[in-house]
Amino acid sequence: LLSCFLFPLGMIGRISIFDQTINAYWYEIPWTIWILTTIRGSIGRQALQTRYAFSLMVFLSLLLVSFVLSFAQFSLSSHMIAALYAIRLTLYMIAIGVALTSKIKVPRPHDTTHFLLVSTIVVAIIQFVFSPDMWWLYPSGWDPHHMRMVGTFLDSSLSSSIYAMLLLFVLSSPKIRFRKLYLSALAAIFLLTFARGAYVAMFMALMVWALQKKLILPTLLVIAFSCVLLVGIPKPTGEAGRLLRTSTIEARLADYQEALIVWSKHPLFGVGYNHIRDVKISGYAKQVGVEGVNH
């Protein structure tokens, strides 16, 4: 409950230490307490007996092996940061395992669900109306966004992912009240993120949902209508408003080429969990390090 109240704060509710190399969020504090208290009892024992738990143990074992093999390559501080993020990832994956256990029923208070949806939508609209130009965050290391729906998450990729997941959640919850209103609002703020990668991901997710529900034609009509809206609505000025831009695609291709170089040198266990930051800054794959903080 408390996590749902704190989650819409987004990056405003971020806790940063060591020059923002370690970040956590206020909503994760009660979330972590819930996970730890849940796995201590009978629910935890039931969750450990699932195939998901076995898969998780295999995955974590691979992380540990990767960590040990890369130990001599990086500094102690880098390993500490990587370990903290690995612990955080583990907690999230344990929570998913608990939620997926068929014998466990996790209650979802309806009022809390509505608060999470309404507050996320309202905060996004407030940002878009009163602070559409986010260039003032650029000196602090954030990507500059103009006329894009980023809300309190301050990044179009992150905000679009969250809006999309909430949209899919409402879409798969036929009994939720005000469902059509939520779907309309979430679809609108999702489109206004102008995040092309999120558009593609959402299209694929909707097609999977449509095949499951045998609603292919209505879903295609909704997607087509959204595309028409996307063409007609005013676009952000500059590079972000050019939906057919290639600069970001070229940057991603450069990243993929770099990833292939890294993989060719460490094909089995990689460079260690969360050490990509160190690899990029060190110029390991002819990558120039970014000056200053980059979020």
Side-chain angles (χ1 to χ4, degrees), residues 6-81:
L6 294 172
F7 182 80
L9 291 174
M11 293 297 171
I12 298 174
R14 189 167 84 164
I15 306 165
S16 298
I17 57 176
F18 297 133
D19 196 23
Q20 304 191 61
T21 52
I22 298 176
N23 300 297
Y25 299 87
W26 290 346
Y27 78 87
E28 290 179 324
I29 297 173
W31 171 251
T32 301
I33 293 171
W34 177 79
I35 295 169
L36 294 176
T37 53
T38 300
I39 61 176
R40 286 181 60 187
S42 59
I43 291 178
R45 288 192 293 272
Q46 292 175 36
L48 284 173
Q49 297 170 4
T50 61
R51 286 183 296 177
Y52 177 87
F54 174 76
S55 302
L56 178 58
M57 291 303 295
V58 171
F59 175 71
L60 294 177
S61 298
L62 290 173
L63 278 190
L64 183 59
V65 171
S66 176
F67 180 81
V68 172
L69 291 177
S70 66
F71 194 80
Q73 300 177 36
F74 304 102
S75 66
L76 190 61
S77 61
S78 293
H79 285 308
M80 182 190 72
I81 294 169

Side-chain angles (χ1 to χ4, degrees), residues 280-291:
K280 292 178 77 69
I281 292 176
S282 66
Y284 174 56
K286 299 180 181 179
Q287 175 72 31
V288 178
V290 178
E291 293 295 329

Side-chain angles (χ1 to χ4, degrees), residues 80-257:
M80 182 190 72
I81 294 169
L84 286 172
Y85 278 108
I87 291 170
R88 180 195 200 183
L89 174 68
T90 303
L91 288 170
Y92 272 83
M93 296 183 80
I94 289 172
I96 292 170
V98 170
L100 289 177
T101 303
S102 58
K103 298 177 183 179
I104 301 168
K105 301 298 180 184
V106 180
R108 190 175 69 240
H110 293 291
D111 291 341
T112 307
T113 303
H114 289 297
F115 174 84
L116 178 62
L117 291 168
V118 171
S119 57
T120 302
I121 293 168
V122 169
V123 166
I125 293 172
I126 289 173
Q127 172 269 314
F128 194 73
V129 172
F130 293 101
S131 184
D133 188 351
M134 303 294 282
W135 272 84
W136 56 277
L137 285 171
Y138 182 67
S140 300
W142 294 93
D143 287 339
H145 295 295
H146 179 68
M147 293 299 294
R148 301 180 78 177
M149 189 75 75
V150 295
T152 54
F153 304 105
L154 309 185
D155 180 80
S156 58
S157 298
L158 181 58
S159 61
S160 61
S161 301
I162 291 168
Y163 303 152
M165 286 191 289
L166 290 176
L167 181 59
L168 291 170
F169 166 72
V170 175
L171 192 63
S172 59
S173 304
K175 295 183 179 180
I176 194 170
R177 290 179 298 163
F178 314 116
R179 185 166 179 259
K180 292 182 179 178
L181 181 61
Y182 283 137
L183 287 174
S184 301
L186 288 168
I189 64 175
F190 173 73
L191 285 177
L192 290 171
T193 60
F194 295 103
R196 297 177 304 167
Y199 291 162
V200 175
M202 191 61 172
F203 171 78
M204 300 300 293
L206 286 175
M207 291 311 300
V208 170
W209 178 85
L211 288 170
Q212 290 176 340
K213 300 295 181 180
K214 298 180 179 179
L215 294 171
I216 297 177
L217 182 59
T219 304
L220 286 174
L221 289 173
V222 170
I223 292 173
F225 177 69
S226 300
C227 290
V228 172
L229 276 179
L230 197 58
V231 171
I233 59 178
K235 307 293 189 302
T237 56
E239 186 74 4
R242 295 175 55 240
L243 295 180
L244 299 179
R245 64 189 182 275
T246 60
S247 58
T248 52
I249 296 175
E250 292 166 358
R252 285 183 174 85
L253 287 174
D255 273 342
Y256 300 154
Q257 290 173 341

Side-chain angles (χ1 to χ4, degrees), residues 254-273:
D255 273 342
Y256 300 154
Q257 290 173 341
E258 181 183 358
L260 287 172
I261 295 172
V262 174
W263 173 76
S264 67
K265 295 180 181 292
H266 304 274
L268 290 179
F269 296 103
V271 293
Y273 176 73

